[in-house]
Structure formats: structure tokens, C-alpha cells
Amino acid sequence: MPAAPRSSGKAMAAAAVVVTMLLSTAAVAAAQHDYGDALHKCILFFEGQRSGRLPPDQRVRWRRDSGLHDGAAAGVDLTGGYYDAGDNVKFGFPMAFTATLMSWGLIDFGRSFGPHKEEARKAVRWATDYLMKATARPNTVYVQVGDAFRDHSCWERPEDMDTPRTVYRVDPSHPGSDVAAETAAALAAASIVFRDSDPAYSKRLLDRAVAVFEFADKHRGPYSSSLHAAVCPCYCDYSGYQDELLWGAAWLHKASRRREYREYIKRNEVVLGASEAINEFGWDNKHAGINVLISKEVLMGKDEYFQSFRVNADNFICTLLPGISNHPQIQYSPGGLLFKVGSSNMQHVTQLSFLLLAYSNYLSHAGGRVSCGSSPAQLRRVAKRQVDYILGDNPLRMSYMVGYGARFPRRIHHRASSIPSVAAHPARIGCKAGAAYYASPAPNPNLLVGAVVGGPTDASDAFPDARAVFQQSEPTTYINAPLMGLLAYFSAHPNPADSGGD
């Protein structure tokens, strides 16, 4: 990644101009959004993704119990957790990342959640309860339930699924440092979330995180090698496992304050590539997130030991501002949407916007700016512009969140949403029988309220609202997870010029 320009009067002026230009790209005048309503719906989406036995307070009523025998064939209880997207497989890697990001939002912006804080914690706990089951056996992490290839050959409701619920795990003979360390990160981050509201649960989460991280570090290797046929290409880890080890250690340091994790991070900073591929952040690549997370220690005056991470984070933030570094992998559409070439672009939008907001928060407390000159308020404006684009301030005047606004995607790539519910159609709908619903041009019969779809994937700001175009029409848990923190912050601070953190 190219280094950010040195700070100067010209650079600072250029940064201000760039942000102003970015904010002026909206094709329509920005509306005053109800961020609190969007937050409520963003959290509600996770109830539509639940697997297992649904609780009495389930609000997404068109869903029913599913996957009640998950893990039984392997002699372990793996019921619960989340389906990651529009299919019926439980992938542990993105589920753990989802839990980590939901927790990070609550940790940094908890007060801004207001009346939605408890439902947000419940969303985290639905994931962590499952991850605790998946790590109950020492030196073992159950990382997937369901045969992805067989599942993807069907279009059926989770309540009807009859494809193999094959269980996959990593262990000392079949290492998976990436998925295990991400799981440790999720448990450690959640332990902070529950520290005050449920201290006993918080301690169990942290104790398990310590054990799972020790396993990940001791038995090194990518799970994509151990379980290639099962996890690739869906959630193959292309960036390697090194970033997850640093990420897991960073969260364990934050949760436990143990010196051993501080030393681990510094000792392995170069070996595990802390400064590599920092233009990325997502379920596969944690480098940018590592540097932003650890930089808080420096900016809050707690640990100059990590100064190099702050430099990395500064450089990363500058790559997100068009005209500053002109990084080829990060671009903006004419309508103002950040996009990276590939599919499911909204995952990049929400994840990178969250890092912008988190870093602006740390800078605000420290009274600082990024090295290329932008102020914390300017970073918040860029993040808010992305949130507003999602909610409808875009050339199509369409919200990309189902159920928010007057116009939103109606034909999302999601099995349960697109097939009549059990209440409406009690008889089983088999594997191939669901194909008629997949091919239908009719809107989905069930609204998966709060789901944010993949959205525009290039510079055209176009969206077909077609079930078959899964790259644009499929929602995922890891699109919504960082959006929770963003929406919470802007519900409490609708004016990005506000000085403050949470």
C-alpha cells in the first residue's frame, strides 16, 4: 500500500476539497433519515437469519424452528447460530466475524444504541451461544454445518431442508488458525459487551477465547487447506491465517489487558504482516481492522509501544479518501458509493465505513487528524454519506435496506424470504420444488425486514432487483453487523460535525 502524503497545508486543503466533492455527488438532496428506525430494522434482520429453536419473543413470525438436529451425527449439539446469507448452511468463519463486528459496535458506541441496546446484545448472544457450543471440546472448533454444494443445488426453506447437515471441524491434525482465531476474537469482544450486564457469561466467554486462541496459535495452518472441499470457494481464506492471529490477540488484549497478548502483538507484528494488504477489511482479511483497533491505545495515550499501528491506520484511512492516495482498489461511483471490484459490494461499504467512524472517534478523543489532513468530522461525513446512500440518498432513490423507506429491494436472493412461509403453505416444499419461486418475477412473499443487499457492484449505481443476480441481491450478516454501530452513532449524532465520540 502506498504511504499517505506527508501532512501539509496543501494536503489539508486538498482533503477538505475532496470530502466536499464526495458529499456533493449525491444525485438527490439528502433526506433526514430516521436512523433509530433503521437501527431497529438492522438488528431485526438477524432474527430472520436464526437457526435452531426460536424463542418465545421471536418477532420475525414467518420464520419457524430449523436445524434442530445439527451436530447430532457427530455427537455434539450445534443447534442455533445464524445462516450467513440466503442459503441454509452455517459457516463458522463469517458468523464469528459477524459477532466480532456487532460487539465492536456496542463497545465503541454502546450509549448511542439507546432503547435498542438490549436487542443488539441479544443478536450478539445468539451467535456467541452457538460459538460456545462449537468450541466446547478442547482443541476442536466446529466450523461448518451443512454441505454447501448440496445446499446450493436446492431452493428450499430452512424449515424444510433435507440436504446433508454434514459437520466440519478443525483440530490439531486438521488446523484452522484463521477460523479458530476469529472465533477467539468474537468470544473476547463479546466478553466486553456482557461484562456489566452478565459478568458470569462474560467470564465464560473470555476463558473460552483464551483457550481457543491458544489452540489456533499452537496448531498453525489455514482451514482452507484442511477443509478445502467443504469451505472453498464459499469462505475460502485467501489472505492466510496470519491476520486472524494478530486480530485474535488484539481482541484478547483489549478484553483481558494481559501483558502476554501485548507482547505477542509486538513480537509478531512483522512476522504476521500487520502492515500488509491494509486496504482490505472483511471476513477474510483483518489487516485494516487490526491497525485501527490497536491504534486506539496510542491515540488515547495508553501505549506508545504500538505507534507503528497508528501510522498504518492513518495510511489506511487516507486510502479511503478519493484524491488523496488514489488507491486503485478503492473507488467511488458517480452517486457517491464506495466500491471495490467484486461481488456483494455493500460488505465493503459498511465495514470500511465502520472503520472510518471508529477511527474518527479515537481521533476526536485525542484531538488529532489523519496524516493527509482530514479532521475527525470529515471522516464522519464520509461514513455518513455511505450510510445515507444505503438508506436512499442515491441516483435510484432506493433504500438498499428491506423495509426501510418507500422503495427497497423486493426480490432478494434469500430462500426463506422468497418461498411462502410455513404458516401460509404448511405442506413441505422440496428441494427442486422451490425452483419455481426462485425463477418467479414476483416480489418475495416474506419481508426480511432490515436486510441490506449486496447493492451496486460497479461505478454505474445500477441495481436490477433480481433474485438471480445474487452478487447484488443477496443479504449477509456481515453486511449488517458493522451497520449496527454506524446507525446507532448517527441516531445519536445526526450532525457529523459533532465533536464527539460515544
Side-chain angles (χ1 to χ4, degrees):
M1 182 195 70
R6 293 184 181 277
S7 193
S8 69
K10 288 184 178 179
M12 293 176 71
V17 170
V18 165
V19 174
T20 301
M21 289 173 60
L22 173 62
L23 296 175
S24 68
T25 56
V28 294
Q32 181 59 50
H33 290 290
D34 187 340
Y35 299 106
D37 179 57
L39 172 61
H40 164 70
K41 288 170 177 169
C42 182
I43 299 169
L44 190 63
F45 158 74
F46 289 95
E47 292 193 13
Q49 296 300 110
R50 283 173 169 172
S51 181
R53 192 172 301 283
L54 303 182
D57 62 354
Q58 170 82 7
R59 295 169 295 179
V60 180
R61 305 299 295 179
W62 51 266
R63 281 295 321 284
R64 294 289 189 274
D65 297 345
S66 62
L68 296 182
H69 303 290
D70 282 357
V76 61
D77 176 11
L78 294 177
T79 57
Y82 290 118
Y83 303 117
D84 74 296
D87 53 23
N88 301 323
V89 182
K90 292 193 300 205
F91 295 100
F93 199 15
M95 193 191 310
F97 180 65
T98 292
T100 306
L101 286 198
M102 286 196 289
S103 294
W104 195 354
L106 278 161
I107 292 164
D108 277 19
F109 308 113
R111 287 195 295 270
S112 293
F113 276 79
H116 306 293
K117 189 171 185 177
E118 183 54 33
E119 60 182 341
R121 280 198 293 238
K122 285 183 179 179
V124 173
R125 186 158 186 158
W126 195 267
T128 54
D129 280 353
Y130 173 82
L131 295 176
M132 289 292 280
K133 293 178 180 181
T135 57
R137 292 184 178 178
N139 294 316
T140 301
V141 181
Y142 290 93
V143 299
Q144 185 172 313
V145 180
D147 182 319
F149 295 96
R150 294 285 294 277
D151 179 89
H152 290 175
S153 70
C154 291
W155 194 262
E156 59 186 348
R157 303 177 296 202
E159 294 84 357
D160 290 334
M161 60 183 173
D162 52 5
T163 52
R165 301 300 286 170
T166 312
V167 172
Y168 302 92
R169 72 182 190 182
V170 295
D171 56 33
S173 301
H174 310 87
S177 299
D178 34 28
V179 66
E182 179 61 69
T183 301
L187 296 172
S191 75
I192 302 172
V193 170
F194 293 101
R195 185 174 289 161
D196 295 330
S197 61
D198 193 338
Y201 185 61
S202 172
K203 184 179 185 305
R204 291 198 301 274
L205 291 171
L206 183 55
D207 289 347
R208 184 66 57 80
V210 169
V212 173
F213 182 78
E214 182 179 350
F215 159 68
D217 190 41
K218 183 177 180 181
H219 302 284
R220 293 191 178 188
Y223 94 140
S224 300
S225 295
S226 298
L227 298 171
H228 188 274
V231 304
C232 295
C234 298
Y235 289 104
C236 198
D237 186 358
Y238 298 100
S239 72
Y241 63 82
Q242 293 85 350
D243 54 323
E244 277 81 24
L245 288 175
L246 272 178
W247 177 245
W251 278 108
L252 277 161
H253 178 250
K254 187 175 182 68
S256 71
R257 308 311 298 176
R258 294 180 189 173
R259 187 178 182 85
E260 64 188 275
Y261 297 113
R262 177 179 182 269
E263 298 299 328
Y264 180 98
I265 293 167
K266 198 62 185 175
R267 186 172 66 250
N268 288 286
E269 176 184 358
V270 175
V271 176
L272 297 179
S275 63
E276 296 173 6
I278 195 177
N279 61 296
E280 293 277 357
F281 182 57
W283 59 263
D284 180 21
N285 190 320
K286 313 304 186 318
H287 287 292
I290 292 163
N291 285 282
V292 168
L293 180 67
I294 296 176
S295 69
K296 182 179 181 181
E297 300 286 318
V298 181
L299 288 166
M300 300 298 282
K302 293 181 179 179
D303 207 332
E304 285 295 321
Y305 196 56
F306 291 139
Q307 181 63 36
S308 56
F309 291 89
R310 191 266 164 98
V311 172
N312 292 339
D314 249 37
N315 288 345
F316 156 71
I317 291 298
C318 289
T319 69
L320 298 184
L321 303 178
I324 300 299
S325 72
N326 292 318
H327 198 286
Q329 293 191 38
I330 297 173
Q331 304 170 56
Y332 286 84
S333 73
L337 181 68
L338 182 155
F339 76 91
K340 291 170 65 68
V341 175
S343 62
S344 190
N345 184 59
M346 285 304 182
Q347 66 179 307
H348 306 303
V349 174
T350 61
Q351 291 157 9
L352 295 177
S353 295
F354 179 84
L355 292 188
L356 274 170
L357 182 64
Y359 199 62
S360 76
N361 193 21
Y362 306 155
L363 286 171
S364 289
H365 284 294
R369 286 175 173 260
V370 287
S371 57
C372 51
S374 290
S375 69
Q378 289 170 325
L379 303 186
R380 286 194 289 273
R381 289 190 192 102
V382 176
K384 185 174 183 291
R385 175 70 191 96
Q386 298 307 299
V387 172
D388 289 346
Y389 187 107
I390 291 171
L391 296 182
D393 293 351
N394 55 63
L396 297 182
R397 295 175 171 83
M398 165 184 261
S399 162
Y400 288 100
M401 175 183 282
V402 174
Y404 181 88
R407 185 183 179 206
F408 50 81
R410 299 280 181 171
R411 298 163 186 84
I412 69 172
H413 184 95
H414 192 277
R415 288 157 175 77
S417 173
S418 66
I419 300 174
S421 68
V422 173
H425 190 295
R428 182 178 173 278
I429 299 173
C431 169
K432 299 303 181 184
Y437 299 102
Y438 172 80
S440 171
N444 289 8
N446 310 307
L447 279 186
L448 185 58
V449 173
V452 177
V453 297
T457 57
D458 56 29
S460 67
D461 290 299
F463 180 73
D465 195 13
R467 207 169 288 119
V469 189
F470 69 90
Q471 299 94 332
Q472 295 181 268
S473 64
E474 187 171 21
T476 70
T477 57
Y478 46 89
I479 292 175
N480 275 57
L483 189 58
M484 281 172 46
L486 287 158
L487 290 169
Y489 179 84
F490 291 121
S491 69
H493 307 275
N495 179 6
D498 288 347
S499 60
D502 200 49

